[in-house]
Amino acid sequence: MPEASLRVELLAVTPNALSLIYAAFRQCYHAGFVADMWPKLLSGEVDREVQADFVSKVLESGHDSPVEHVCFTFAAEGISRACSHQLVRHRIASYSQQSQRYVTDSMDYIMPPAIARIPEAKARFEAFMQEVGDAYADLRDILVAHGRKSKANEDARFVLPQAAETKIVVTMNCRSLHHFFNLRCCNRAQWEIRALADAMLEKCKQELPPIFSRGGARCEMLGYCPESGKFACGKYPTRENLT
């Protein structure tokens, strides 16, 4: 039962993402039909730097709905069920998650860093993970022996902990991603989903910098912490302290 490590890969992005967002923004302010300019955008007749500059300036005004036309799809592994339960609470997204019905003899798991740093806590955690793995295997074998057969896994999995590793495919549009990053890149977010969000944000910045160069926790975009002083981490001043 090995400990798993986080891995995030970008699988797909809407083709011609920057040009598509540019066209969507232009349609909001353009008297003509953007389909007529689309070939020029794809051919490079309208320079990409011009497109990026226009998009960035409009985004600074607070108009961001056109970025919904572009989606990113990620594959993530080495996250716990505790993390995936937080992730799927973001509703404007699509998810395809590995089923625990297909866990077999071994169960990979995620160990919190706070536990890993304390030798006695780490030893107890690892011992319990082994106990869980053994219990899962024993229950599955017992259920098979009593005729449950192919359904044994789905009942034996009830003993698996939130630390159990899972794999998931996630698709979000750019606006949903910004909301996700605003919340989950915050220092107050739980450590594991923050690590996932940070890894996803880095992929987005590399792929589409005009949209994500200023992505992250809300304080990074605002220049101050929108939380009250009671909850602020101290990285930025709170709104009250600005006045």
Side-chain angles (χ1 to χ4, degrees):
M1 292 179 36
E3 183 179 352
S5 298
L6 175 65
R7 179 185 174 195
V8 177
E9 298 292 344
L10 179 60
L11 300 185
V13 181
T14 302
N16 306 305
L18 177 61
S19 294
L20 181 57
I21 291 172
Y22 175 84
F25 272 125
R26 283 295 304 273
Q27 189 63 88
C28 295
Y29 308 108
H30 181 52
F33 186 36
V34 295
D36 294 332
M37 73 169 67
W38 186 244
K40 297 179 181 179
L41 299 179
L42 297 186
S43 68
E45 188 172 338
V46 178
D47 189 78
R48 284 183 60 84
E49 290 188 9
V50 171
Q51 297 179 46
D53 184 62
F54 179 82
V55 167
S56 296
K57 287 179 179 177
V58 178
L59 283 173
E60 288 176 1
S61 75
H63 183 192
D64 63 356
S65 59
V67 303
E68 292 179 4
H69 294 291
V70 167
C71 292
F72 282 64
T73 298
F74 301 88
E77 67 174 358
I79 63 171
S80 69
R81 279 273 169 168
C83 181
S84 70
H85 288 336
Q86 296 180 74
L87 176 62
V88 299
R89 289 190 176 99
H90 293 269
R91 300 187 182 115
I92 305 178
S94 297
Y95 303 101
S96 298
Q97 186 170 8
Q98 183 183 55
S99 173
Q100 285 186 322
R101 293 174 71 183
Y102 302 105
V103 173
T104 54
D105 293 330
S106 66
M107 177 198 72
D108 291 354
Y109 60 84
I110 311 302
M111 182 184 298
I115 292 177
R117 287 193 292 267
I118 305 171
E120 57 267 37
K122 180 180 180 182
R124 185 65 187 94
F125 187 92
E126 290 175 334
F128 180 70
M129 291 299 106
Q130 186 60 54
E131 292 167 18
V132 169
D134 292 343
Y136 173 86
D138 292 344
L139 285 168
R140 188 197 58 209
D141 293 344
I142 292 168
L143 289 166
V144 169
H146 284 73
R148 193 69 172 131
K149 297 182 180 178
S150 62
K151 299 293 185 180
N153 284 15
E154 68 182 40
D155 292 332
R157 66 179 168 167
F158 275 67
V159 300
L160 297 178
Q162 290 201 80
E165 189 259 358
T166 191
K167 299 174 177 62
I168 194 166
V169 172
V170 183
T171 298
M172 293 186 188
N173 68 51
C174 290
R175 199 180 193 189
S176 292
L177 281 166
H178 267 298
H179 180 255
F180 175 68
F181 297 144
N182 284 172
L183 298 177
R184 303 302 188 173
C185 291
C186 175
N187 284 338
R188 294 188 63 244
Q190 186 261 353
W191 67 268
E192 188 182 10
I193 199 164
R194 186 170 70 246
L196 173 64
D198 287 344
M200 291 168 62
L201 177 58
E202 284 307 306
K203 301 286 185 184
C204 290
K205 286 181 175 181
Q206 293 169 17
E207 183 68 29
L208 199 54
I211 304 301
F212 292 103
S213 61
R214 296 185 63 218
R218 288 183 67 198
C219 60
E220 299 290 349
M221 303 177 70
L222 297 173
Y224 64 88
C225 176
E227 303 276 1
S228 67
K230 178 181 177 181
F231 298 107
C233 73
K235 184 176 181 180
Y236 284 90
T238 61
R239 180 182 298 179
E240 294 83 357
N241 292 333
L242 292 177
T243 56

